[in-house]
């Protein structure tokens, strides 16, 4: 197969022996190579070499598992519990779009966030939380600032989110000294 142009999606074939083959470079690679491609914003698609099935999602999940198990944890246990609890929930369909929008917003604001963490802003999480709530409201079709009384389950969820935000603020205050 011919090498693809730099902007094209690279096809990675995964064989039954768990080896990954980069069709662009005609070489076997590791999950760490794929992680480096992600960091370099290089598009790729992983396919099962036998069936042609797209298994990119599974391989990306495996990269996260490897990173988490190597001591580079980024996903708190409580977040993972909440995520697992969302499977089968009526809101499950909204979670992927919400998480994707949140990560995109976080990446756009990364330099501001770094400044905030070094003390340039007093409370960086307040603005991030506000934006996340606006994105969630947009994803669910709710109107931010709606005067209608929230459902009882929503009240409990809001109280839990407020407590989590307060806990994050306490951690930030400790870090700021």
């Amino acid at each position: 197969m011919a090498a693809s142009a730099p902007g094209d999606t690279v096809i990675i074939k995964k064989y039954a022996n768990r080896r990954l083959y980069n069709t662009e470079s005609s070489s076997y690679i590791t999950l760490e190579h794929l992680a480096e491609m992600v960091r370099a914003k290089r598009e790729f698609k992983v396919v099962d070499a036998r069936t042609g099935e797209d298994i990119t999602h599974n391989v990306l999940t495996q990269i996260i598992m490897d990173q988490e198990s190597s001591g580079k944890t980024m996903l708190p246990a409580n977040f993972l519990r909440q995520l697992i609890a969302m499977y089968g929930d009526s809101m499950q369909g909204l979670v992927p779009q919400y998480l994707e929008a949140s990560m995109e917003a976080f990446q756009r604001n990364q330099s501001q966030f770094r400044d905030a963490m070094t003390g340039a802003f007093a409370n960086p999480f307040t603005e991030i939380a506000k934006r996340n709530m606006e994105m969630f409201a947009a994803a669910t079709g709710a109107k931010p600032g709606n005067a209608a009384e929230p459902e009882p389950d929503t009240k409990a969820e809001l109280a839990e989110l407020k407590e989590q935000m307060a806990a994050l603020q306490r951690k930030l205050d400790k870090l700021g000294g």
Side-chain angles (χ1 to χ4, degrees):
M1 181 178 254
S4 58
D8 291 348
T9 300
V10 178
I11 301 298
I12 308 295
K13 292 184 179 181
K14 185 172 185 183
Y15 289 93
N17 63 3
R18 300 178 60 166
R19 293 190 74 185
L20 298 165
Y21 184 77
N22 182 330
T23 60
E24 179 181 62
S25 64
S26 299
S27 62
Y28 287 100
I29 60 172
T30 64
L31 288 175
E32 183 54 39
H33 287 108
L34 289 179
E36 290 170 14
M37 289 175 72
V38 169
R39 289 182 200 103
K41 299 188 183 335
R42 184 71 170 130
E43 289 293 320
F44 62 86
K45 177 179 177 180
V46 183
V47 296
D48 182 287
R50 185 177 54 83
T51 65
E53 176 186 4
D54 183 350
I55 56 171
T56 307
H57 184 272
N58 296 347
V59 172
L60 292 171
T61 303
Q62 182 62 48
I63 292 169
I64 291 170
M65 298 269 298
D66 288 355
Q67 294 290 312
E68 289 286 313
S69 66
S70 72
K72 301 175 186 173
T73 58
M74 189 167 41
L75 302 173
N78 193 43
F79 172 80
L80 294 171
R81 284 185 183 96
Q82 291 171 346
L83 190 60
I84 291 167
M86 292 300 295
Y87 283 93
D89 184 271
S90 62
M91 300 291 279
Q92 179 178 343
L94 296 174
V95 173
Q97 293 90 352
Y98 175 74
L99 292 175
E100 194 170 341
S102 294
M103 285 304 295
E104 287 172 2
F106 181 80
Q107 287 178 326
R108 280 193 308 272
N109 298 318
Q110 215 169 17
S111 63
Q112 290 176 344
F113 185 76
R114 283 190 184 116
D115 291 344
M117 293 303 289
T118 58
F121 299 106
N123 189 350
F125 286 108
T126 301
E127 186 61 30
I128 291 170
K130 180 180 171 186
R131 288 182 190 164
N132 283 346
M133 290 305 289
E134 289 170 353
M135 285 187 294
F136 185 73
T140 60
K143 294 178 182 167
N146 190 348
E149 187 70 16
E151 296 294 323
D153 288 343
T154 305
K155 284 182 182 178
E157 290 172 359
L158 287 174
E160 184 179 338
L161 286 172
K162 286 179 182 178
E163 177 52 35
Q164 289 174 1
M165 290 302 295
L168 285 172
Q169 183 59 51
R170 288 191 293 274
K171 286 180 182 180
L172 272 177
D173 292 342
K174 284 181 184 178
L175 288 173

